[in-house]
Amino acid sequence: MQNKYDVVIIGSGLGGLVCGYILSKNGYKVAIFEQGKQAGGCLQTFTRKGVKFETGVHYIGSMGEGQTLNLFFKYLSLFKDLTLSPLDPTGFDVISFKNEEYKFATGYDNFIETLSQKFPAERNNIRQYAKIIREIVLSSPFHSITNQEESFQFSSHYGITKISDFLAQTTSNETLQNVLAGLVPLYAGVKDKTPMYVHAFINDSNISGACRIVGGSDKIAESLINSIRSFGGEIFLSSKVCKIICNSSQATTIILENGTQVEADYFISNTHPEVTIDMIDSNLIRSAYRNRICGMEQTAAYFTVYLKFKENKVPYMNNNYYHYLGNEVWNCEKYTQEDWPRGYLYMHLCPAHPTQYAQAGEIITVMNFEEVAQWAVTKVEQRGDAYKVFKQRKAERLLAQLEAQFSGTLANVEAYYTSTPLTYLNYTGTIRGAAYGVLRDVHTPRIVHRTKIPNLFFAGQNTNSHGIMGVIIGAVITCSELLGRKFLWKQITTTR
Amino acid sequence: MKKTVLIIGGGIGGLVCGAILSKEGYRVRVLERHSVAGGGLHTFKRNGIEFETGMHLISGFQENGVLNKLFSYIGVADQLQIKPADEEGFDHFHLAAEGVTYKMARGRNNFIKTVSTYFPEEKDNIDRYIQRVYEICDNISIYNLRAPSADIYSNMEVMETSVSELIASFTSNSKLQAVLAWNNAMYGGRKDKTPAYVGALITQFYIEGASRFVGGSQQLADGLVQVIEQNGGEVLTQTAAHFIDIQNQHIQKVISKGGREFTADYYISAIHPSSMFKITDVSHFKKAYYHRVDTIENSNSAFVTFITFKPNSFPYLNYAGFYTYDYEDVWNCAELLPDDRPRGCMYLTPPVSANDVFAQKMIINTIMKFDIVKKWEHTTVGKRGYDYYAFKTQHENKVLDMMEEIYPNFRSKIDTVFSASPLTIRDYYNVKEGAIYGTMNDCNNMPLSHLPVRTKIDNLLLTGQNINLHGILGVPLTAILTCGELIGLEKLLGIINYFSRTKVTY
């Protein structure tokens, strides 16, 4: 470790790694500091009994040739290390709502056709809906590769129209409204708060080619780290940054938990903004800004049951199954102890080698942080028996719901493991275990990548948008502060 | 055989007429276009939480209050759940520019005493002004359930003077003038236009008994429907009048949207007169009359922001808040500031139970001109275009910014926010330009803005907020006048006074 770098990046999640990649590729001397033992943030995986489980990124969209994310993956040299497995194009996602199954098919024409078969009277509305979400995506300069506008900021009516108003405008058919919003767990949306563009980006991205990553999403982190090292960048694991020291005008130094001080010209924080702000004790950060950042509402947190199946028993399900138990896909986070879970997402993991059977699956559902807050002071693996019992009880309830929908599955589960919002808090450092960080709310100003300290920037899911695409684009926006927008844009779009 | 009455519109006016007439031996039928009757009393549910649409601040239910008497006679008073607002300050008037909050206390003497503490040198003027306000109210016969001698309001002077002039005649202190007109944002009072008697009535009415419905205003509508049904009448919901068939100055029948034909001995239109003209052949009315009614200026509309709070995060306020930036703003609360922010608002936290500690919800009213949303006037609910929804969110944010000025960190207590614009109000209430209070009373042209309940059509009467006076006070009083045309006003008032002995205790 040197005592001075051009750029210090705090956190090795996707945003930090992409910033590290772009800046080291362009000649900056970069150091990335990660508090955990494993790099990758939401790209972390873990292995139990020889089976690898994913924790954050389960499938990615926009992977068709010529699609947005495809272009960014090329620029990030990811395809050399990645193999993708397309999900079922006739129904990559299945929304199970009020005892009916609705499929989302790949490509807009198929999407419209498949859904219109279920809602024949709504064909025009579905077509109009597809047109609008495409339009939203194209109006964002980074999502539409062809559209080179000066501004990076996504701005239009779509930024402050609520999903509820958007869906009401789309159709008066409430079932269809719910089905279209069926992927809400992918953005933890709140009907009257989340802006419609969040919904549009996620749905568009998936309709434009949804894939699993063969062998697990940690391959993305691994590939980026290898590239960064080849460009001369450095990554330090188990190196928690505790303080960002500022002089009267800007940030100068970080202090690690072990007391080591590292200087830099630029700082990029890929941690949760609230965590970042807590590291800074400088009057450059005014209390109004501090209060605003620290007072923001967080997205929902999740409880996951990881299933290891018996060998060659459970046929591989090449889609994602969104099941809802109530009368709406919304408000799953407003559950009571009696009606939890109000819905779940069930999927299989893509095996490293082709086989018709699944080795592993996951069931994900909302869990509020309050339920586990009492154990927040404990450490991983030392949280005590009460926590274990709590997790087991929750897992059993979730498994019972799965069995009700997919009968016979439980008999083929060899072992299962669980994670709670505390697990996320521990491994990703996100406040309250919030799956997608701060909630995008039409009534709250967004967090931008620039901070009140001129040489400190944010990256990661809390600025720009969340998800693989949102975070990569956010990282590009952050790096453009150093490299210049036009220059970086050109570099990305001329990649072959 | 009982005489039959068909009432078009199941708002407060229609239902009160229906209840009175059905009690007095008429066979009543009310046509209501929505699935639930209530009009301004109507409530709706969003995310499981019930919101009032129009009737938030009520009064007159205290002992000897005029509405207490009327609804006791009708027989619904004792089942209403009503909670008096804070005695020390039923309304709080925040003046942002000076950081002062004025409290309006219940009862004549308390009110004078409290306002005088802010303006000690004006004590005598305040005293004389309030005395005049009470005098005006005493002279309005119907407000005291007395039969009017000649006209409904026997004192022409207070009809032709504006409330702003009235106040100015007692004090030249412009701050005090504004403070005494604090409630403009509630009833849409306008400088040099709103007649003195309207301002006086509303001021006195609320000083005497400002209160809230616990659990929402729908309870009053439900009670009235029950009375109508118990007396052999019926309220047909989802039945919109489609055509009023008039021949020889006489209504022959009313045809509903579904094609049903209704005939009756008498018809009462309890909808906006302009809406009524749309469903009939206007050539049966004199051109001058039709033109006059159709061109009466409408009151302003409103932009209403509905908020639900996170549990136990925001206190229940037992008062209504009125917020403005500057004194002058109370007189032009419909005009936006240069940066399109509203000039002020009226907010309240409707009670869910009699002893709320925390608020479940808040309703914030800002007066808004219809012009602001005019460009979307040809759109319908749910299909107004994204620029409209974006406009709404933007305006919600301006309202929230304003609330942040009163309650720092207001946003962090909020669960959800949604809103109704003048267009929403227009389309749900079926009133032209979303005029929350219907037609405007203009002291400069009282004959024009004052409609008699009788018409040239011999079996058609009018009622509702567009005739005389709006609100929880004006509409029931007008209903008495309308019913008086059939029953005989003196007789009806006699009955009401006689049978209104039941007392409601809070």
Side-chain angles (χ1 to χ4, degrees):
Chain A
M1 194 184 295
Q2 302 169 201
N3 55 16
K4 183 159 193 315
Y5 292 88
D6 294 335
V7 184
V8 154
I9 297 172
I10 305 167
S12 72
L14 181 63
L17 293 177
V18 172
C19 286
Y21 179 98
I22 295 173
L23 295 175
S24 59
K25 179 187 167 84
N26 283 289
Y28 285 81
K29 185 71 187 153
V30 172
I32 301 176
F33 294 91
E34 167 57 46
Q35 63 159 345
K37 292 178 195 140
Q38 193 185 141
C42 292
L43 299 167
Q44 292 175 81
T45 59
F46 67 93
T47 303
R48 293 282 183 277
K49 292 194 178 173
V51 175
K52 189 191 269 184
F53 292 99
E54 296 187 293
T55 61
V57 173
H58 297 91
Y59 68 111
I60 55 181
S62 184
M63 269 300 154
E65 191 61 38
Q67 296 292 342
T68 317
L69 198 51
N70 187 303
L71 174 91
F72 283 110
F73 269 43
K74 278 184 185 144
Y75 172 70
L76 296 170
S77 325
L78 282 170
F79 286 117
K80 68 180 165 51
D81 298 315
L82 286 190
T83 312
L84 299 175
S85 165
L87 286 157
D88 182 357
T90 68
F92 58 87
D93 286 334
V94 177
I95 315 297
S96 161
F97 178 66
K98 288 190 180 172
N99 300 321
E100 278 280 338
E101 291 182 351
Y102 304 89
K103 289 181 173 181
F104 283 11
T106 305
Y108 275 97
D109 290 343
N110 296 333
F111 174 82
I112 295 165
E113 185 54 41
T114 311
L115 217 47
S116 298
Q117 282 171 15
K118 286 277 188 184
F119 298 94
E122 295 285 335
R123 183 177 289 271
N124 280 338
N125 288 339
I126 295 168
R127 193 177 288 132
Q128 185 63 18
Y129 165 84
K131 189 173 156 246
I132 292 287
I133 64 171
R134 197 67 205 136
E135 202 175 290
I136 294 170
V137 172
L138 290 175
S139 71
S140 154
F142 260 114
H143 284 77
S144 59
I145 305 158
T146 49
N147 183 353
Q148 289 193 48
E149 278 182 34
E150 271 297 295
S151 163
F152 278 163
Q153 287 296 325
F154 175 74
S155 69
S156 77
H157 304 313
Y158 308 133
I160 50 171
T161 297
K162 302 163 196 170
I163 294 183
S164 52
D165 286 333
F166 172 42
L167 293 173
Q169 163 100 9
T170 300
T171 170
S172 53
N173 182 319
E174 287 189 13
T175 304
L176 179 57
Q177 288 185 6
N178 275 283
V179 170
L180 290 172
L183 309 187
V184 62
L186 296 183
Y187 48 94
V190 180
K191 205 176 171 183
D192 285 320
K193 293 188 178 180
T194 311
M196 67 186 274
Y197 76 85
V198 175
H199 166 99
F201 285 172
I202 293 289
N203 277 21
D204 170 78
S205 157
N206 286 336
I207 293 167
S208 313
C211 303
R212 291 203 216 284
I213 300 159
V214 177
S217 60
D218 57 334
K219 299 271 181 202
I220 297 176
E222 209 175 278
S223 170
L224 289 171
I225 290 167
N226 287 337
S227 297
I228 292 167
R229 288 194 170 131
S230 75
F231 296 140
E234 294 176 57
I235 292 179
F236 303 100
L237 301 178
S238 302
S239 302
K240 184 174 180 174
V241 177
C242 291
K243 283 225 170 314
I244 302 172
I245 307 294
C246 301
N247 63 22
S248 60
S249 60
Q250 60 176 18
T252 58
T253 313
I254 54 157
I255 303 180
L256 301 183
E257 204 167 30
N258 63 11
T260 310
Q261 300 200 6
V262 182
E263 292 174 37
D265 294 331
Y266 296 98
F267 298 83
I268 294 174
S269 179
N270 192 47
T271 63
H272 194 288
E274 199 171 325
V275 175
T276 308
I277 294 298
D278 279 346
M279 291 185 214
I280 306 169
D281 181 16
S282 157
N283 51 16
L284 292 173
I285 303 286
R286 297 262 166 87
S287 64
Y289 181 72
R290 189 182 293 272
N291 290 342
R292 180 170 86 75
I293 298 287
C294 298
M296 290 180 89
E297 194 173 345
Q298 309 300 320
T299 51
Y302 289 117
F303 176 76
T304 308
V305 176
Y306 305 87
L307 307 167
K308 179 186 188 299
F309 296 128
K310 291 175 186 166
E311 214 170 313
N312 298 339
K313 287 285 189 193
V314 179
Y316 178 61
M317 185 176 79
N318 197 20
N319 53 37
N320 308 301
Y321 198 85
Y322 294 79
H323 184 63
Y324 295 94
L325 289 99
N327 287 328
E328 58 174 351
V329 304
W330 303 102
N331 294 321
C332 286
E333 70 282 3
K334 294 197 172 156
Y335 62 84
T336 61
Q337 288 308 319
E338 289 71 44
D339 70 1
W340 183 91
R342 291 187 176 185
Y344 59 77
L345 164 57
Y346 174 54
M347 59 194 140
H348 289 168
L349 279 79
C350 182
H353 304 289
T355 151
Q356 63 182 112
Y357 293 101
Q359 286 178 296
E362 295 182 12
I363 325 167
I364 304 174
T365 190
V366 177
M367 179 179 281
N368 291 323
F369 187 73
E370 281 69 21
E371 288 214 63
V372 291
Q374 56 178 306
W375 297 291
V377 289
T378 61
K379 292 204 169 113
V380 177
E381 302 298 336
Q382 300 167 27
R383 303 205 199 271
D385 288 343
Y387 180 66
K388 282 184 191 158
V389 170
F390 166 82
K391 291 209 301 179
Q392 190 185 342
R393 217 180 55 229
K394 290 286 180 183
E396 281 165 2
R397 282 181 74 167
L398 195 50
L399 287 167
Q401 289 297 346
L402 182 73
E403 182 68 11
Q405 197 69 14
F406 295 88
S407 65
T409 306
L410 281 198
N412 294 319
V413 172
E414 187 185 312
Y416 71 82
Y417 312 92
T418 58
S419 69
T420 73
L422 274 189
T423 321
Y424 280 82
L425 174 62
N426 186 72
Y427 283 96
T428 69
T430 184
I431 295 286
R432 297 167 63 83
Y436 306 114
V438 296
L439 181 73
R440 269 61 174 183
D441 181 344
V442 294
H443 296 111
T444 311
R446 298 201 312 159
I447 293 181
V448 294
H449 61 284
R450 291 189 190 130
T451 69
K452 299 290 170 192
I453 295 171
N455 63 340
L456 169 68
F457 303 97
F458 288 132
Q461 66 176 357
N462 297 286
T463 68
N464 192 55
S465 299
H466 73 282
I468 290 273
M469 179 131 78
V471 170
I472 290 178
I473 291 172
V476 168
I477 292 171
T478 302
C479 291
S480 65
E481 290 288 337
L482 276 67
L483 296 170
R485 294 182 296 188
K486 279 187 179 161
F487 170 82
L488 182 52
W489 181 250
K490 198 170 173 204
Q491 190 177 71
I492 293 167
T493 48
T494 51
T495 305
R496 284 291 171 267
Chain B
M1 259 248 313
K2 280 186 173 181
K3 293 268 186 193
T4 55
V5 182
L6 185 78
I7 299 171
I8 303 170
I12 312 174
L15 293 177
V16 172
C17 282
I20 294 175
L21 293 173
S22 67
K23 278 177 79 76
E24 298 310 322
Y26 290 79
R27 187 170 292 278
V28 170
R29 194 177 251 169
V30 182
L31 305 186
E32 166 58 40
R33 64 207 289 264
H34 290 293
S35 53
V36 182
L41 296 172
H42 185 55
T43 57
F44 66 97
K45 269 196 174 174
R46 176 110 164 201
N47 301 326
I49 291 178
E50 192 167 358
F51 281 96
E52 289 164 339
T53 55
M55 198 57 69
H56 314 307
L57 307 181
I58 57 171
S59 188
F61 288 91
Q62 71 279 13
E63 211 176 312
N64 287 324
V66 58
L67 295 186
N68 190 338
K69 288 184 182 172
L70 173 64
F71 290 114
S72 295
Y73 147 72
I74 289 177
V76 292
D78 51 355
Q79 71 190 58
L80 298 176
Q81 288 202 48
I82 288 168
K83 179 185 167 85
D86 216 344
E87 192 168 356
E88 307 305 314
F90 61 90
D91 284 350
H92 285 197
F93 178 52
H94 310 288
L95 228 297
E98 307 213 340
V100 187
T101 297
Y102 300 91
K103 291 183 182 177
M104 308 301 166
R106 173 138 39 93
R108 181 174 174 164
N109 293 334
N110 258 339
F111 182 88
I112 295 169
K113 206 172 104 189
T114 313
V115 176
S116 300
T117 57
Y118 307 109
F119 300 93
E121 71 289 356
E122 294 275 348
K123 181 165 187 322
D124 288 347
N125 292 337
I126 296 166
D127 198 55
R128 285 192 303 120
Y129 167 71
I130 290 299
Q131 189 180 334
R132 178 72 185 124
V133 163
Y134 273 68
E135 238 170 61
I136 292 171
C137 293
D138 282 345
N139 283 330
I140 299 171
S141 319
I142 189 71
Y143 181 54
N144 299 286
L145 299 179
R146 292 192 308 261
S149 40
D151 196 10
I152 326 156
Y153 307 108
S154 44
N155 191 335
M156 283 307 283
E157 180 207 327
V158 293
M159 301 181 77
E160 290 174 354
T161 320
S162 68
V163 63
S164 48
E165 286 168 310
L166 178 74
I167 294 173
S169 71
F170 287 94
T171 174
S172 54
N173 182 326
S174 61
K175 285 184 189 175
L176 177 58
Q177 288 178 4
V179 170
L180 293 175
W182 86 97
N183 52 9
N184 276 353
M186 170 183 67
Y187 75 99
R190 289 197 249 186
K191 192 173 195 173
D192 297 333
K193 280 202 168 172
T194 304
Y197 85 91
V198 174
L201 261 183
I202 288 174
T203 301
Q204 195 264 12
F205 183 60
Y206 284 99
I207 288 177
E208 284 297 308
S211 48
R212 308 275 184 276
F213 285 118
V214 176
S217 53
Q218 185 69 41
Q219 55 182 300
L220 176 56
D222 293 349
L224 292 169
V225 170
Q226 221 175 23
V227 170
I228 294 170
E229 288 172 351
Q230 278 162 1
N231 290 295
E234 57 180 343
V235 178
L236 301 177
T237 54
Q238 290 188 308
T239 311
H242 183 64
F243 187 65
I244 303 173
D245 186 358
I246 303 173
Q247 267 155 51
N248 303 323
Q249 301 304 301
H250 190 83
I251 296 182
Q252 305 294 332
K253 58 177 182 276
V254 169
I255 304 169
S256 79
K257 225 168 194 167
R260 265 183 84 177
E261 293 190 1
F262 297 93
T263 53
D265 297 317
Y266 302 101
Y267 298 82
I268 297 176
S269 168
I271 58 178
H272 192 290
S274 297
S275 305
M276 180 190 72
F277 289 136
K278 274 192 197 150
I279 56 170
T280 188
D281 180 356
V282 292
S283 68
H284 295 289
F285 294 89
K286 278 192 179 158
K287 212 171 178 182
Y289 177 80
Y290 161 69
H291 187 73
R292 170 191 150 196
V293 172
D294 211 38
T295 52
I296 297 177
E297 195 185 349
N298 272 307
S299 72
N300 282 315
S301 192
F303 186 94
V304 188
T305 307
F306 301 94
I307 286 171
T308 60
F309 291 114
K310 292 172 186 160
N312 305 339
S313 65
F314 192 84
Y316 167 72
L317 310 174
N318 201 22
Y319 56 83
F322 292 80
Y323 183 78
T324 50
Y325 290 101
D326 214 339
Y327 291 100
E328 274 305 301
D329 294 332
V330 302
W331 296 112
N332 50 4
C333 41
E335 304 289 336
L336 297 177
L337 290 164
D339 57 357
D340 288 342
R341 276 180 304 146
R343 253 168 223 276
C345 68
M346 187 271 279
Y347 63 89
L348 77 156
T349 55
V352 180
S353 74
N355 306 307
D356 287 353
V357 176
F358 289 100
Q360 181 193 49
K361 57 204 164 193
M362 178 179 271
I363 295 174
I364 309 168
N365 257 350
T366 56
I367 304 286
M368 181 181 269
K369 291 187 168 176
F370 186 76
D371 287 356
I372 307 269
V373 294
K374 198 175 168 59
K375 62 173 167 172
W376 299 288
E377 67 178 330
H378 299 299
T379 61
T380 55
V381 175
K383 299 278 170 202
R384 305 207 199 270
Y386 299 108
D387 52 345
Y388 170 75
Y389 298 115
F391 153 79
K392 275 179 74 181
T393 314
Q394 257 165 359
H395 206 78
E396 285 164 15
N397 274 325
K398 286 169 192 160
V399 169
L400 295 183
D401 288 344
M402 195 157 58
M403 294 310 295
E404 292 265 357
E405 289 170 21
I406 314 172
Y407 301 101
N409 270 327
F410 187 74
R411 278 187 171 82
S412 68
K413 325 232 183 268
I414 294 176
D415 187 15
T416 54
V417 181
F418 54 98
S419 57
S421 82
L423 280 178
T424 324
I425 295 167
R426 179 195 69 175
D427 291 348
Y428 279 101
Y429 283 168
N430 189 26
V431 288
K432 200 172 149 186
E433 299 182 347
I436 25 176
Y437 308 121
T439 51
M440 259 268 298
N441 286 302
D442 186 344
C443 64
N444 304 308
N445 202 340
M446 273 319 276
L448 181 86
S449 54
H450 212 88
L451 276 182
V453 296
R454 268 193 180 284
T455 65
K456 297 286 177 200
I457 309 297
D458 64 8
N459 57 349
L460 171 66
L461 297 169
L462 306 178
T463 200
Q465 67 173 352
N466 306 292
I467 322 300
N468 295 325
L469 185 61
H470 67 267
I472 187 73
L473 172 63
V475 177
L477 293 186
T478 304
I480 294 175
L481 296 175
T482 306
C483 295
E485 291 293 330
L486 297 179
I487 299 167
L489 187 56
E490 279 195 46
K491 183 182 164 199
L492 176 59
L493 289 168
I495 297 171
I496 294 173
N497 280 312
Y498 181 80
F499 284 104
S500 64
R501 305 260 165 83
T502 327
K503 278 170 191 147
V504 187
T505 41
Y506 291 128

